Amino acid sequence: MAVHPPRLDLAELFLEIALTSQKHIIVEGRTDENFFKAWLQDADPAETVVVTPVENLEVGPDEVLGIGLSDGNRSRVVYVAMRAEKDDVDLRCVADRDCGHNVETHNYEQLLWTDYPSIESYALDGVTLQKANLLSFNGRLPDGGVLLGMLVPALRDLYAVRAANEHLERPNYAAGVGKNRSLATFNVSLTVHPSLRSQVAGYAKPTSRDPREFAYGHDIGELLLAAFGNVLKNNVGLVTLGAVEAALRSAVQAVGSYKTEPLFIRLHSWISA
């Protein structure tokens, strides 16, 4: 069983930064930690940059609830950024944009939002999906461009539901694709609680032509498992959502186009300053 170090008090972290001037990036979770560490290998900063998942810091539920946010790692990252601004601490926090809830109301120099709903959202282009197909899915899924076209309508519908319901329960993706496991006939109203089904048709759908803007992180992998689960599990060996999402993030790293997105340009500029 993995042994994690004791959580670090924010005052201790801020004092360490003040004394050492070392760069620290605070992220939501361990998968984000690994992604940003991989990015830093290519960014090749002159000094060591420490990437820390917020679960390693002592931030309690009362503290995030006290600033009007729900308890969760995303809220904890926002809270750290707010405290850092208040105490004039030079660090950077990266939080998932998700559907944009609370983004406008929490605007701090220390807080950077992902350009799209999540890190996995950067995978939503034909080239990156095909890279994942070749490297991780053994070429068993449709070509990246075709797969993108299959995913877009379902992702658009799911995003509309999420945007209207900030604390949406996990959708029933299997019900959405039906017994034939078809994305072509995906029915988003079947994925939500019966009490919401009559409202779904009235939700405003995102109009962007860029699917990355409405590709909510977990929805991507969940839809792939719902539609292609038999192939992914039995022929590729990817059984869990975490494994599928890891494949998507690896493809994002391999293609590398994410490095020119605003979030990473701003982070690189801060690190190099």
Side-chain angles (χ1 to χ4, degrees):
M1 187 164 105
V3 177
H4 301 301
R7 287 179 176 158
L8 186 65
D9 185 80
L10 286 188
E12 296 174 321
L13 173 65
F14 292 173
L15 178 60
E16 176 186 332
I17 293 172
L19 293 175
T20 66
S21 297
Q22 189 171 50
K23 303 283 188 179
H24 283 255
I25 300 174
I26 311 302
V27 297
E28 288 190 30
R30 299 197 182 280
T31 57
D32 297 315
E33 174 190 9
N34 292 332
F35 186 91
F36 281 92
K37 284 182 175 179
W39 168 69
L40 284 165
Q41 283 188 317
D42 293 333
D44 193 25
E47 304 291 337
T48 300
V49 178
V50 180
V51 184
T52 302
V54 75
E55 60 201 67
N56 286 7
L57 302 178
E58 193 61 58
V59 180
D62 289 345
E63 292 167 305
V64 295
L65 293 172
I67 61 171
L69 298 177
S70 58
D71 187 22
N73 282 354
R74 180 179 186 262
S75 299
R76 285 177 164 81
V77 171
V78 173
Y79 177 83
V80 174
M82 185 203 71
R83 280 281 308 274
E85 180 182 74
K86 179 181 177 182
D87 294 355
D88 194 24
V89 177
D90 186 28
L91 55 68
R92 289 297 180 270
C93 299
V94 179
D96 285 347
R97 182 172 293 273
D98 287 349
C99 294
H101 299 117
N102 306 305
V103 169
E104 296 300 326
T105 54
H106 291 278
N107 183 18
Y108 315 112
E109 181 180 356
Q110 290 85 346
L111 178 60
L112 300 176
W113 298 97
T114 51
D115 301 293
Y116 309 109
S118 72
I119 293 297
E120 290 77 21
S121 307
Y122 292 91
L124 255 290
D125 65 75
V127 172
T128 306
L129 286 175
Q130 181 61 3
K131 185 72 74 174
N133 191 24
L134 294 174
L135 294 181
S136 299
F137 305 149
N138 292 339
R140 299 300 298 267
L141 298 194
D143 178 83
V146 174
L147 182 59
L148 178 64
M150 296 169 71
L151 288 167
V152 162
L155 288 169
R156 195 187 299 272
D157 287 348
L158 284 164
Y159 187 94
V161 175
R162 288 188 180 280
N165 299 275
E166 182 177 355
H167 304 297
L168 186 73
E169 294 180 5
R170 178 183 175 275
N172 186 338
Y173 301 92
V177 298
K179 292 182 180 179
N180 60 355
R181 293 182 173 240
S182 173
L183 288 171
T185 57
F186 182 81
N187 186 340
V188 71
S189 68
L190 298 179
T191 70
V192 300
H193 191 273
S195 63
L196 291 178
R197 289 177 185 170
S198 63
Q199 304 172 43
V200 168
Y203 293 148
K205 296 182 182 181
T207 58
S208 172
R209 291 178 173 271
D210 186 346
R212 295 173 298 180
E213 294 189 358
F214 53 82
Y216 188 91
H218 292 315
D219 288 346
I220 307 166
E222 292 275 23
L223 286 173
L224 290 175
L225 281 171
F228 306 104
N230 287 338
V231 171
L232 291 173
K233 294 173 183 178
N234 299 327
N235 301 109
V236 184
L238 298 180
V239 177
T240 66
L241 175 63
V244 174
E245 291 182 341
L248 294 172
R249 289 190 299 271
S250 294
V252 171
Q253 289 283 357
V255 172
S257 56
Y258 76 95
K259 298 171 190 174
T260 62
E261 295 287 346
L263 166 62
F264 294 92
I265 291 175
R266 291 177 65 186
L267 268 179
H268 193 275
S269 176
W270 169 70
I271 290 169
S272 303

